[in-house]
Amino acid sequence: MSLRQAARQEIAMTDIDRLSSRFALHDLVSEYCLAVDERELDRFLAIWWENAVWDIEFVDTFVGYEGIRRAVRDVIWPMWQSTAHYCANLRVNFDGPYKASGISSVYCIGNLADGQAANAVGNYYDDFERRGGVWKIVQRRVNQRFFTPLAGISLTPAGNA
Amino acid sequence: MSLRQAARQEIAMTDIDRLSSRFALHDLVSEYCLAVDERELDRFLAIWWENAVWDIEFVDTFVGYEGIRRAVRDVIWPMWQSTAHYCANLRVNFDGPYKASGISSVYCIGNLADGQAANAVGNYYDDFERRGGVWKIVQRRVNQRFFTPLAGISLTPAGNA
Amino acid sequence: MSLRQAARQEIAMTDIDRLSSRFALHDLVSEYCLAVDERELDRFLAIWWENAVWDIEFVDTFVGYEGIRRAVRDVIWPMWQSTAHYCANLRVNFDGPYKASGISSVYCIGNLADGQAANAVGNYYDDFERRGGVWKIVQRRVNQRFFTPLAGISLTPAGNA
């Protein structure tokens, strides 16, 4: 790449491309929540690169689509009857036009397998990569701060009210 | 419109216009929460088109400003003493420069009419339209996943603490 | 400044600059949550101008870095063993290229000093200023709607589960 090309690319990253990329990264973070809650496996896998690493504190480290598939199918979805993930406070840092890192805060509430409500409080530490023009997650480290069963509470389907 | 104009418009949608529209749609979703919580009717009505449809699962379908006014005045505000809506995970898809759809996750906590705290967990499925350069909601479907009274808990005004 | 310069500046504010500024303001709001939760004082101070005013309803008004340092060190961090702040619904209004105001909704959950869980529900009303090209908070008013101890609940470190 010529210096002129490099300069042009850097300029691109500093305005429209950076703004569009910000939204693209935010979309990945949102899609994680929506797809895991709605238990849509293909949609969930689509946010990760095929060599992605998903490191969940106090649980395990899952590698690649095989590992990620195992994490949701064999660990998260059986453990929870239902989940609602809310992700906030996303901060992004770009490391050139092809790499970025992010940090965000997650609140999750749901019913465990036995119907008892619980909430989880944590942070996501993400590494994103852009390959062929597309941003996806290449590594997500989940910092699990709190995991708290909510004694005496079970989330109730609204239709039963 | 000439082909050149159409092409320019499409280009506009793919960069600055798309980015600005993303924020405009996010603002509608935020304003819904803020206005319903602060019980500001005019502010709340301003996010909807006059022929908008608001379909709240397990409650009713409300049509137009008359219906929307009735929904907040006769249903939501009397049912809850107070609400705090938090909307996250907004995903947007544009269907040309004048239509878009969105999905987001909402967590609501508040006190019911009798002072008992409750929370609600759901999703918003939105259709947005741009008319005369302005984006508003033309349809919102509320998927009510959970509605749970929080036994023994009543949210307490901070000034009483 | 000539009229032409003023016009050009206004144009700048209406597109790329406005979009970039929106993200910059959102970053300040996010960083407040992340830094106060992780108890990183320098990171927390970096979001405020040196003459900033932080007015926390039912608590006190804190002025400048000395006041802000006192607020977190002597009031918030001792009062809470841990906090998780989630900020949503951010709405921004620009008042020219150097001033903006914002409103957002915050949900905070954590353990109080004695280990009892509590949540807080409120809104942030912010005034932002851009000085030397950098946006920071010049005033934050915290409207504390609810502060509620969660009887019988203590957030549990995930590693203990």
Side-chain angles (χ1 to χ4, degrees):
Chain A
M1 194 187 312
S2 72
L3 275 180
R4 178 171 295 181
Q5 280 174 321
R8 212 182 289 137
Q9 189 174 68
E10 186 49 33
I11 288 164
M13 194 58 196
T14 55
D15 43 41
I16 296 283
D17 185 34
R18 186 178 295 264
L19 293 165
S20 299
S21 292
R22 281 285 300 254
F23 275 123
L25 299 178
H26 195 283
D27 284 352
L28 293 171
V29 170
S30 296
E31 195 72 357
Y32 173 100
C33 297
L34 294 166
V36 77
D37 290 347
E38 298 183 18
R39 309 204 166 194
E40 297 182 25
L41 183 58
D42 290 344
R43 186 176 167 190
F44 189 73
L45 290 175
I47 63 171
W48 307 84
W49 286 118
E50 63 276 7
N51 64 333
V53 175
W54 187 13
D55 177 7
I56 310 176
E57 193 184 21
F58 306 121
V59 178
D60 206 343
T61 299
F62 304 92
V63 181
Y65 289 146
E66 197 48 45
I68 292 165
R69 202 178 281 121
R70 190 164 54 83
V72 286
R73 271 200 187 148
D74 299 351
V75 181
I76 297 173
W77 290 340
M79 179 185 167
W80 296 85
Q81 223 174 62
S82 58
T83 54
H85 287 78
Y86 301 91
C87 202
N89 311 332
L90 177 64
R91 296 278 289 112
V92 169
N93 282 298
F94 288 99
D95 180 18
Y98 304 117
K99 286 177 190 291
S101 61
I103 173 173
S104 52
S105 306
V106 63
Y107 183 74
C108 175
I109 189 163
N111 284 335
L112 296 173
D114 63 0
Q116 155 84 62
N119 67 28
V121 166
N123 292 104
Y124 296 135
Y125 298 87
D126 295 324
D127 291 317
F128 306 101
E129 280 188 24
R130 177 155 58 175
R131 302 177 186 174
V134 178
W135 286 104
K136 295 196 182 189
I137 300 171
V138 73
Q139 179 165 316
R140 164 163 285 199
R141 187 160 60 79
V142 183
N143 169 20
Q144 297 223 58
R145 295 182 61 201
F146 297 111
F147 173 82
T148 310
L150 301 171
I153 296 174
S154 180
L155 299 187
T156 312
N160 297 4
Chain B
M1 194 189 312
S2 72
L3 275 179
R4 178 171 293 181
Q5 279 173 321
R8 214 181 287 139
Q9 190 174 65
E10 187 47 35
I11 287 165
M13 192 60 196
T14 55
D15 43 42
I16 295 284
D17 185 34
R18 185 176 296 264
L19 293 164
S20 299
S21 292
R22 281 285 301 253
F23 275 122
L25 299 179
H26 196 283
D27 284 352
L28 293 171
V29 169
S30 295
E31 195 71 356
Y32 173 100
C33 297
L34 294 167
V36 78
D37 290 348
E38 299 184 18
R39 307 203 167 194
E40 297 182 23
L41 184 58
D42 290 346
R43 185 176 168 190
F44 189 72
L45 290 175
I47 64 171
W48 307 84
W49 286 118
E50 62 275 8
N51 64 332
V53 175
W54 188 12
D55 177 6
I56 310 175
E57 194 184 20
F58 306 121
V59 178
D60 206 344
T61 299
F62 304 92
V63 180
Y65 290 146
E66 196 47 46
I68 292 165
R69 203 178 279 121
R70 190 163 55 84
V72 286
R73 272 199 185 150
D74 299 350
V75 181
I76 297 173
W77 290 340
M79 179 182 168
W80 297 86
Q81 222 173 65
S82 58
T83 55
H85 287 78
Y86 301 91
C87 202
N89 310 333
L90 177 63
R91 296 277 289 113
V92 168
N93 281 300
F94 288 99
D95 179 19
Y98 304 116
K99 288 177 189 290
S101 60
I103 174 173
S104 53
S105 305
V106 62
Y107 183 73
C108 175
I109 189 163
N111 284 336
L112 297 173
D114 63 0
Q116 155 84 63
N119 67 27
V121 166
N123 292 104
Y124 296 135
Y125 298 87
D126 296 324
D127 291 317
F128 306 100
E129 280 188 25
R130 177 155 57 175
R131 303 176 186 174
V134 178
W135 286 103
K136 295 197 181 188
I137 300 172
V138 73
Q139 180 165 316
R140 165 162 285 199
R141 189 162 59 80
V142 183
N143 169 19
Q144 296 224 59
R145 295 182 60 201
F146 297 111
F147 172 82
T148 310
L150 302 171
I153 297 175
S154 179
L155 299 187
T156 311
N160 299 2
Chain C
M1 192 189 311
S2 72
L3 276 179
R4 178 172 293 181
Q5 278 173 322
R8 212 180 290 134
Q9 192 174 65
E10 187 48 33
I11 288 164
M13 192 61 196
T14 56
D15 43 38
I16 295 285
D17 185 33
R18 186 178 295 265
L19 293 164
S20 299
S21 293
R22 281 285 301 254
F23 275 123
L25 299 178
H26 196 283
D27 284 352
L28 293 172
V29 169
S30 295
E31 195 72 357
Y32 173 101
C33 297
L34 294 166
V36 78
D37 290 346
E38 297 182 21
R39 306 202 169 195
E40 297 181 24
L41 184 57
D42 290 344
R43 185 175 168 191
F44 189 72
L45 290 176
I47 63 170
W48 307 85
W49 286 118
E50 63 275 8
N51 64 334
V53 175
W54 187 14
D55 177 6
I56 310 177
E57 194 184 20
F58 307 121
V59 178
D60 207 344
T61 300
F62 304 92
V63 180
Y65 289 146
E66 195 49 45
I68 293 166
R69 202 178 280 118
R70 189 164 55 84
V72 286
R73 271 200 186 148
D74 299 351
V75 181
I76 297 173
W77 290 340
M79 178 183 168
W80 296 87
Q81 222 174 62
S82 59
T83 55
H85 287 78
Y86 301 91
C87 202
N89 311 333
L90 177 63
R91 296 277 287 113
V92 169
N93 280 299
F94 288 99
D95 180 19
Y98 303 116
K99 287 178 189 291
S101 61
I103 174 172
S104 53
S105 306
V106 62
Y107 183 73
C108 174
I109 191 163
N111 285 335
L112 297 173
D114 64 359
Q116 154 84 62
N119 68 27
V121 167
N123 293 103
Y124 296 135
Y125 298 87
D126 295 324
D127 291 317
F128 305 101
E129 280 188 24
R130 176 155 59 175
R131 302 176 186 174
V134 178
W135 286 102
K136 294 196 182 189
I137 300 172
V138 73
Q139 179 165 316
R140 165 162 284 200
R141 188 161 60 80
V142 183
N143 170 19
Q144 296 224 59
R145 294 182 62 201
F146 297 111
F147 173 82
T148 309
L150 301 171
I153 297 173
S154 180
L155 298 186
T156 312
N160 298 3

